């Protein structure tokens, strides 16, 4: 019920954000330097061939017209043909999505499985203990390790020394899920380091924030045992800022995937997007970036709904996202 | 303050530790170029009973505006991959001599008339036997496209079916490189009947007479091929299927060859030779190539010092090819004139006029031109590492002569816009790139003929004499006469110095000796690293 | 009344007070500051006095390991890595700092307007921020870099566009908190004009947030610059930045690991230092009391 | 008769970032079972610290360099964590100032009560019974609500229900009505004292309001600068205060002055008082 | 009878919140009429949520009412534009001594700010007047250089009063100005307000939930409940014979 009060407004703002993003993407892609036809057809092509190509992609129309056409088709799931492969963009992206989704999913799993317990430990021991300081330093180092440095390091170590996992072969999870997971293990770990650290930090801060709340003091005063308070009161309350962080992490994983996929040669959406950008594969860039933003917008929408379920006080007015 | 230094110190110590334990023997580059047979870096052991999947890793995929259509395929990578499915009338061997392909033999009736006798067992992968009409139609279809390769075919006047398995090609003028042009994948023999009636779409399908047919292609990811059941040489094939992985990152390809995920890997970083030293099963060979790096010295901007031919020539002369090759290609690049040095009849790069100039003469030349302290802008692209490195070395080499070079390294698209865009003159003084060198010494020089290569107009003025030399070189039959023309052509290009050939662009192939026995030629004209794939033998079930 | 035992400071010179302020940070933050100071000074010396030689000059054998002659080894063109590292540190720090300065100005302006004025303009600002925020950072950065064309400007623009939305949001939130304070209402009632309130009261009171967020933005900036240069859209050769050096190093990981390890480690150190300073600033401006559950 | 609560000359210091604040400076207070003691003092007097000290509930940066605290014979400051928990659970009850924030905002009232009453019967019927004890209307409905959906008065009743469910030996109420509107204050106060009387619970009622404390408590202790400066039967402390601070406090309440009268504020010069108090070592006690 | 400074005539203020199905309306002020005369203090009591604070914002011209009129010195109080024209004539002493002053500014400058706003002069140009006012609120003028956190709650509230008085306003709103103070300090501030009003003759709206403080200082008392004024009477009369049931309840609780 409560959800119904703010969900329509939240949905509307999500749609506005997506529309805004689509305009931005379209504008950015159209202002990429270099003549698209010349790039695609190469220097040996003649003007006639170029003009023909421009026409076949509707580039001869006015920009607003092109945008509306694109948006209209996109709404129907038609993102056009990839200039590079001549295949429907949607198929191209769809075939790479499982890889990126699995990569991001594995990283998210690691993030939650390590980051939250680490943060809870650091938070509940913040007033005492060296363990907390260690957790804090570890998490600060974690957010300071760019994945391209860490990734290269891992590739170096695993290709230089025989450490059991291959960084040369990639098995797609769609052909063999088990081997796919194994070949994504290292990339997912590298991708998750920042997120684990960020989650641990946020969880720690959230836990500390909850611990000073009077209702925790009241629980302590009632003589509740530590574990009981953490389980029943701290975790639930601390979950709220952690949930909002999850939206940011989703975006981060999507972005980080670009680099990690590149470093580990994982054929996912991220590395495909960079390639597409290099060769000005307009349709792919447009659809790919829009997809990335849409995933983020939908994820944050879902997370807002989840937050609404965890925190009954949440309303449409409250929509800050922590970093 | 007290705490900061240990951190820095620790860093240095860590570095020493790591460098200490990775000291490896120096490069084995010389071995890599060693031939096991004349013209070959590796020869497949045909006695091996072989079957299985051939797994190769490539650095990038074919990207063509017309999809899989071989006629408009622009890059060597496309030729290589499409070459698995298509065949050409003639083939080119390790000595750049022509051998039978789909044509069992041919007669050069006159310098302007060639008669091809086709083999009778060629069958397209859809099961239909190849006919003379297919050959005639394929050449005509290629000519229709107006593509770069249709220009390389030369002045074809007519193609006629003159017998059951006989096709006659007539030229309007002599053109020595005709066979060279017919030997490359864009001139592949297509199932013309199906193409014309629309049952085969060349953009999305490959229906050729070649050994393999593609079963799957994920752009930038992988290709799968299986045997063409109708292939005429099926019995001799040692490979059941081909898996190509596209792996842009060199480190990953390196890892793949180390752990055996790949049997055969292409590198374009010459240092890969050294990087695999620790893996004894991996053999690394350095394949010489007719492709070469060149610099554009833009002559079309009247405000640029490069508008003066003396300055261009001086800049050309100031570039030390040997050092350039040592620093950027681990010494594997060979200095070359406009006729690629590894092709028969090519001019001697040592004899080029620019190479005869001493440092003093270069300085004087610049002084005469009033260009003692000049600044030139250089642009090149970043999807490969070599052009950027070349640019940086050139910058250092020109510095002692008072020539300051401002380097701008941009993405490929921006580079294209700078030199082939719509402006009157290209947006930079100097450009660095490479050309494919093809299979005949006169083919690439077409790009120096301003009548034939319109795309150079924004940085090259050319001259009627030069254009004529290009035409002469293409018309004269191979032999001493043409060699002399090529030498003149090389000198003219060198002195005009608008597009200056620098050095060849070698390829590096690594293969797993324990998994595969390949045949690899020492010299390649079309970048086809699978040229002898039908001879390859697999050592273990793959 | 409570008995308060504390050490009262006497009035000192500005310099002395600045020093005392820095000295008041915890040990970790101080170490971080020293690390940054050492990195920056080395880079500055490198630039001013050509410490380690010219970054572009080809001086020696290719891929030589660190030695006395080449303290950080040589790269694939036989250039000494040390001056290139110093130049890289300079570029990375300077580029990130300039970008974050821009970010701070833009975000402060937008954040204060959005947080204090609210209304349509404020809504629009926040909405645009939301839209930019919806892009994964590195994707946005690459897109911007591709539009602008790879290079310094691209890195700069990307960093600004990536960091502005979050910082605007944080400044906006801080501004809203301050705007609710009674002293703002008092000033409004006294007829103090809006621009004066914004600069005199709001800006001063959110300066802590700006400092903390600016510091974090700086670490994000270095990450973005690195990632961008690594992907080939940031700083280009023959320039040098830490991200670019790492990228160059990847090719020679096996044969010349120092080419990737040194810039990589310095990059990590710099970001780590900045994050530690940010944490320290945050503890200072947003103190949190820790409590045990015993 | 021995004291159920005996605070002996306790000193408490907080250290924050190099600054040490002394919150209690030799405070003593002995309370016998069944007594209702009003602990009066203004902000900073140390009364909240004293209240929390009974359950050793001070924040981690608190130090106890001197003094001892006994609850029913247990030396609170020396107890192990487990014993301390048991003590809090079995013997002590706390009612905070702001009841709404004392409830977990993410949890329905019913679930919170259920958790707080672990070990006791805590089915629906029992919960409803507890709410009825604190005269909550519509208890069934209230159990389903979240804390932000109820008023301060209701929240305080729920906290009282939670606290009194275990019939603690000592109840420490820290300004429990300060955050409430005036018309529910007396009701809540009445409720607490009524339940405490029924359960035989000793009450330590912390307040800044001398007058209201006098109305409900048998005994009043006045705190100032970290000490109990005056302690005695309510009517005595209120009627004829002897410590100048108590005098000033009584005089300063505007509710105590007749229309047209002016509050005499000259004697409440806090700074001067503090200075004079430092010299005066002896606590006025009767 | 002295001049009417502020007059609220049948003022209604409605808040609308939410969106779609969640939309709700809250009437914060319903048909509120009251007036404040020169030299007089009108006390406004009521519980949290009774509409006191909304009434304060309306009286200060910070919020435009949904209906009804607000007149200041006989003129409609109008919107933000008129606020600039009236500057210096209306001031406020806010509730929370923690936030009544800008923590980043020496308190002397905070006192000078309304003066500077009158003529656009620099904050530092009014040192003499600041000294004078600090004396009036019985503070050591040397405190002007201090920052708010260096002062006690009572001292801060005195500074806030000095700031409100610095422009010789005709009307001051005290919005829970003593509620957060300890009784001993509260008494001093109440006396100070009484003395200063006698001296300066400003009209005052004194808002509090504390009936005792209001009764002590106000000449007339208005009792608000659920957005309405349920009783408005002279203090003496109100104290003797409260008419409304709610007023009686409040008095009993004293």
């Amino acid at each position: 019920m409560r959800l119904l009060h703010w969900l329509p407004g939240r949905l509307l703002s999500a749609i506005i954000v997506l529309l805004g993003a689509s305009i931005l993407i379209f504008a950015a892609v159209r202002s990429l330097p270099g003549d698209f036809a010349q790039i695609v057809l190469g220097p040996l092509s003649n003007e006639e061939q170029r003009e023909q190509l421009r026409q076949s992609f509707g580039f001869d129309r006015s920009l607003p017209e092109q945008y509306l056409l694109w948006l209209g088709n996109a709404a129907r799931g038609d993102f056009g043909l990839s200039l590079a492969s001549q295949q429907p963009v949607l198929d191209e992206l769809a075939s790479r999505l499982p890889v990126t989704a699995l990569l991001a999913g594995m990283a998210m799993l690691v993030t939650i499985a390590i980051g939250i317990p680490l943060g809870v430990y650091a938070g509940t021991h913040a007033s005492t203990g060296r363990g907390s300081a260690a957790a804090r330093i570890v998490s600060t180092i974690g957010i300071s390790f760019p994945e391209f440095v860490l990734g290269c390091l891992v590739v170096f170590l695993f290709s230089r020394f025989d450490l059991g996992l291959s960084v040369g072969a990639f098995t797609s999870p769609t052909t063999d899920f088990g081997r796919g997971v194994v070949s994504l293990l290292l990339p997912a770990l590298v991708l998750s380091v920042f997120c684990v650290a960020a989650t641990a930090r946020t969880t720690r801060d959230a836990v500390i924030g909850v611990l000073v709340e009077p209702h925790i003091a009241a629980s302590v005063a009632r003589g509740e045992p530590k574990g009981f308070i953490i389980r029943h009161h701290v975790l639930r309350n601390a979950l709220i800022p952690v949930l909002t962080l999850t939206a940011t992490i989703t975006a981060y994983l999507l972005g980080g995937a670009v680099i990690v996929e590149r470093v580990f040669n994982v054929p996912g959406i991220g590395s495909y997007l960079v390639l597409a950008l290099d060769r000005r594969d307009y349709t792919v860039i447009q659809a790919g970036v829009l997809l990335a933003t849409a995933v983020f917008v939908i994820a944050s929408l879902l997370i807002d709904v989840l937050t609404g379920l965890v925190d009954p006080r949440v309303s449409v007015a409250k929509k800050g996202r922590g970093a | 303050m007290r705490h900061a230094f240990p951190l820095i110190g620790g860093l240095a110590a860590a570095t020493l530790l790591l460098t200490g334990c990775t000291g490896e023997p120096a490069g084995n580059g010389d071995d890599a170029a060693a031939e096991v047979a004349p013209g070959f870096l590796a020869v497949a052991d045909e006695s091996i009973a072989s079957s299985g999947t051939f797994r190769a890793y490539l650095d990038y995929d074919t990207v063509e505006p017309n999809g899989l259509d071989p006629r408009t395929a622009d890059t060597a990578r496309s030729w290589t991959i499409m070459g698995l499915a298509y065949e050409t009338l003639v083939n080119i061997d390790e000595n750049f001599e022509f051998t039978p392909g789909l044509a069992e033999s041919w007669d050069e009736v006159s310098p302007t008339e060639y008669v091809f006798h086709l083999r009778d067992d060629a069958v397209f992968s859809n099961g239909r036997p190849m006919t003379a009409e297919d050959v005639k139609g394929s050449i005509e279809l290629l000519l229709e496209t107006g593509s770069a390769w249709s220009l390389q075919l030369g002045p074809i006047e007519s193609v006629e079916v003159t017998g059951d398995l006989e096709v006659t090609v007539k030229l309007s003028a002599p053109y020595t490189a005709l066979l060279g042009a017919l030997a490359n994948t864009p001139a592949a023999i297509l199932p013309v009947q199906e193409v014309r009636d629309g049952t085969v779409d060349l953009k999305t399908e490959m229906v050729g007479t070649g050994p393999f047919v593609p079963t799957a292609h994920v752009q930038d990811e992988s290709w799968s091929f299986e045997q063409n059941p109708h292939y005429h040489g099926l019995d001799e094939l040692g490979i059941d299927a081909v898996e190509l992985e596209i792996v842009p990152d060199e480190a990953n390809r390196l890892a793949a060859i180390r752990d055996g995920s790949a049997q055969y890997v292409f590198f374009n970083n010459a240092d890969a030779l050294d990087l695999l030293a620790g893996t004894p099963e991996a053999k690394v060979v350095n394949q010489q190539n007719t492709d070469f790096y060149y610099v554009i010295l833009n002559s079309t901007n009247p405000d640029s010092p490069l508008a003066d031919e003396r300055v261009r020539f001086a800049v050309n002369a100031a570039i030390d090819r040997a050092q350039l090759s040592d620093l950027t290609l681990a010494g594997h690049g060979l200095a070359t004139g406009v006729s690629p040095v590894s092709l028969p009849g090519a001019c001697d790069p040592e004899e080029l006029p620019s190479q005869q100039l001493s440092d003093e003469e270069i300085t004087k030349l610049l002084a005469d031109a009033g260009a003692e302290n000049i600044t030139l802008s250089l642009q090149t692209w970043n999807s490969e590492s070599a052009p950027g490195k070349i640019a940086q070395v050139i910058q250092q080499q020109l510095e002692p002569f008072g020539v300051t070079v401002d380097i701008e390294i941009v993405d490929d698209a921006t580079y294209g816009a700078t030199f082939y865009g719509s402006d009157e003159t290209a947006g930079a003084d100097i450009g660095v790139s490479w050309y494919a060198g093809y299979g005949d010494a006169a083919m690439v020089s077409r790009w120096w003929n301003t009548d034939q290569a319109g795309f150079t107009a924004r940085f090259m003025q050319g001259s009627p004499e030069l254009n004529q030399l290009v035409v002469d070189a293409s018309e004269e039959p191979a032999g001493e006469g043409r060699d002399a023309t090529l030498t003149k052509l090389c000198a003219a290009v060198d002195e005009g110095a608008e597009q200056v050939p620098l050095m060849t662009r070698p390829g590096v192939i690594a293969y797993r000796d324990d998994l595969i026995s390949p045949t690899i030629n020492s010299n390649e004209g079309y970048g086809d690293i699978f040229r002898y794939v039908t001879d390859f033998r697999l050592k273990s079930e793959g | 009344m409570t008995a308060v035992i504390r050490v009262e400071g006497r009035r000192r010179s500005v310099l002395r007070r600045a020093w005392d302020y820095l000295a008041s940070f915890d040990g970790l933050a101080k170490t971080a500051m020293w690390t940054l100071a050492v990195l920056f000074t080395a880079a500055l010396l490198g630039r001013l006095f050509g410490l380690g030689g010219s970054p572009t000059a080809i001086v020696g054998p290719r891929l030589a390991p660190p030695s006395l002659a080449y303290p950080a080894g040589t790269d694939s063109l036989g250039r000494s890595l040390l001056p290139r590292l110093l130049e890289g540190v300079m570029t990375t720090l300077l580029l990130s700092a300039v970008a974050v300065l821009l970010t701070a100005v833009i975000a402060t302006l937008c954040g204060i307007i959005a947080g204090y004025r609210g209304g349509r303009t404020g809504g629009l600002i926040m909405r645009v921020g939301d839209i930019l925020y919806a892009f994964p950072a590195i994707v946005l950065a690459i897109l911007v870099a591709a539009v602008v064309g790879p290079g310094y400007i691209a890195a700069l623009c990307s960093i600004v566009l990536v960091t502005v939305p979050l910082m605007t949001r944080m400044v906006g939130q801080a501004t809203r908190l301050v705007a609710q304070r009674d002293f703002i209402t008092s000033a409004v009632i006294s007829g103090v004009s809006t621009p004066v309130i914004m600069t005199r009261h709001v800006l001063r009171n959110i300066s802590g947030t700006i400092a903390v967020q600016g510091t974090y933005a700086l670490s994000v900036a270095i990450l973005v610059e690195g990632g961008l240069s690594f992907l080939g859209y940031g700083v280009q050769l023959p320039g040098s930045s830490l991200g670019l050096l790492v990228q160059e190093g990847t090719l020679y990981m096996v044969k010349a690991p120092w080419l990737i390890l040194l810039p990589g480690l310095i990059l990590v150190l710099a970001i780590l230092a900045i994050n530690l300073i940010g944490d320290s600033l945050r503890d200072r401006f947003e103190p949190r009391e820790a409590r045990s559950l015993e | 008769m021995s004291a159920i609560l005996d605070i002996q000359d306790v000193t408490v210091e907080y250290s924050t970032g190099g600054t040490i604040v002394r919150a209690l400076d030799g405070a003593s207070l002995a309370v016998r079972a069944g007594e209702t003691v009003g602990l009066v003092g203004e902000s900073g007097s140390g009364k909240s610290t004293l209240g929390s000290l009974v359950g050793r509930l001070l924040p981690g940066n608190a130090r106890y360099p001197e003094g001892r605290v006994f609850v029913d014979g247990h030396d609170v400051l020396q107890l192990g964590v487990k014993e301390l928990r048991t003590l809090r659970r079995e013997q002590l009850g706390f009612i905070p100032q702001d009841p709404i924030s004392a409830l977990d905002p993410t949890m329905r009232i019913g679930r919170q009560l259920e958790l707080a009453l672990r070990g006791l019967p805590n089915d629906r019927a029992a919960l409803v019974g507890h709410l009825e004890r604190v005269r909550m209307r519509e208890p069934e409905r209230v159990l389903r609500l979240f804390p932000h959906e109820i008023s301060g008065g209701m929240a305080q009743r729920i906290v009282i229900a939670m606290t009194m469910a275990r019939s603690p030996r000592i109840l420490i109420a820290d300004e429990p009505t300060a955050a409430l509107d005036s018309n529910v204050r007396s009701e809540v106060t009445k409720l607490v004292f009524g339940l405490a009387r029924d359960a035989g619970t000793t009450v330590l009622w912390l307040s800044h309001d001398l007058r209201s404390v006098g109305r409900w408590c048998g005994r009043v202790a006045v705190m100032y600068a970290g000490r109990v400066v005056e302690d005695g039967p309510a009517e005595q402390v209120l009627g004829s205060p002897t410590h100048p601070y108590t005098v000033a406090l009584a005089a300063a309440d505007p509710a105590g002055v007749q229309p047209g009268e002016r509050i005499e504020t000259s004697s409440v010069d806090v700074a001067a008082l503090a200075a004079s108090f430092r010299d005066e070592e002896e606590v006025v006690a009767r | 009878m002295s001049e009417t400074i502020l007059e609220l005539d049948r003022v209604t203020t409605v808040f609308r919140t939410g969106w779609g199905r969640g939309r709700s309306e809250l009437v914060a002020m319903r048909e509120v009429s009251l007036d404040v005369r020169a030299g007089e203090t009108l006390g406004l009591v009521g519980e949290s949520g009774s509409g006191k604070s909304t009434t304060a914002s309306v009286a200060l011209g910070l919020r435009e009412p949904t209906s009804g009129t607000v007149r200041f010195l006989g003129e409609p109080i109008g919107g933000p534009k008129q606020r600039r024209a009236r500057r210096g004539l209306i001031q406020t002493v806010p509730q929370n001594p923690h936030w009544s002053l800008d923590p980043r500014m020496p308190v002397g400058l905070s006192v000078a700010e309304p003066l500077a706003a009158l003529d656009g002069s620099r904050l530092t140009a009014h040192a003499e007047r600041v000294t004078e006012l600090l004396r009036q609120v019985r503070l050591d003028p040397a405190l002007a250089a201090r920052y708010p956190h260096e002062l006690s709650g009572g001292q801060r509230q005195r500074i806030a009063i000095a700031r409100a008085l610095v422009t010789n306003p005709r009307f001051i709103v005290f919005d829970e100005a003593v509620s957060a103070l300890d009784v001993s300090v509260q008494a001093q501030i109440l006396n100070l307000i009484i003395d200063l009003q006698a001296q300066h003759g400003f009209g005052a709206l004194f808002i509090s939930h504390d009936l005792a403080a209001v009764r002590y200082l106000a000449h007339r008392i208005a009792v608000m409940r659920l957005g309405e004024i349920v009783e408005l009477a002279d203090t003496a009369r109100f104290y003797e014979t409260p008419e409304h049931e709610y007023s009686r309840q409040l008095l009993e609780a004293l």
Side-chain angles (χ1 to χ4, degrees), chain A residues 44 86 96 166 263 279-280, chain B residues 65 219-220 252 259 411 455:
Chain A
L44 301 180
Q86 303 295 314
R96 286 163 177 86
S166 163
V263 171
R279 58 180 175 231
R280 301 290 189 265
Chain B
Q219 182 68 40
D220 303 311
N252 292 115
D259 68 15
D411 55 334
F455 66 91

Side-chain angles (χ1 to χ4, degrees), chain B residues 23 69 75-76 109 127 142 158 170 243 248 289 322 325 352 413 457 496 512:
Chain B
D69 189 339
T75 62
V109 181
L142 174 57
S158 68
K170 288 189 177 148
E243 289 288 340
N289 227 308
S325 168
L352 289 174
R512 286 285 293 235

Side-chain angles (χ1 to χ4, degrees), chain C residues 272-293:
Chain C
L272 185 62
I274 289 166
N275 279 326
L276 286 173
I277 294 170
D279 286 355
S280 195
L281 280 176
R282 198 184 61 156
D283 288 347
R284 179 164 295 233
F285 289 113
E286 300 155 27
R288 280 151 202 271
E289 173 192 359
R291 197 187 205 111
S292 89
L293 285 175

Side-chain angles (χ1 to χ4, degrees), chain B residues 78-93:
Chain B
S78 307
W79 304 338
T80 305
I81 293 173
M82 293 170 184
L84 293 173
Y86 288 112
E87 288 182 299
T88 46
L89 275 182
V90 296
N91 289 331
I92 198 160
D93 74 1

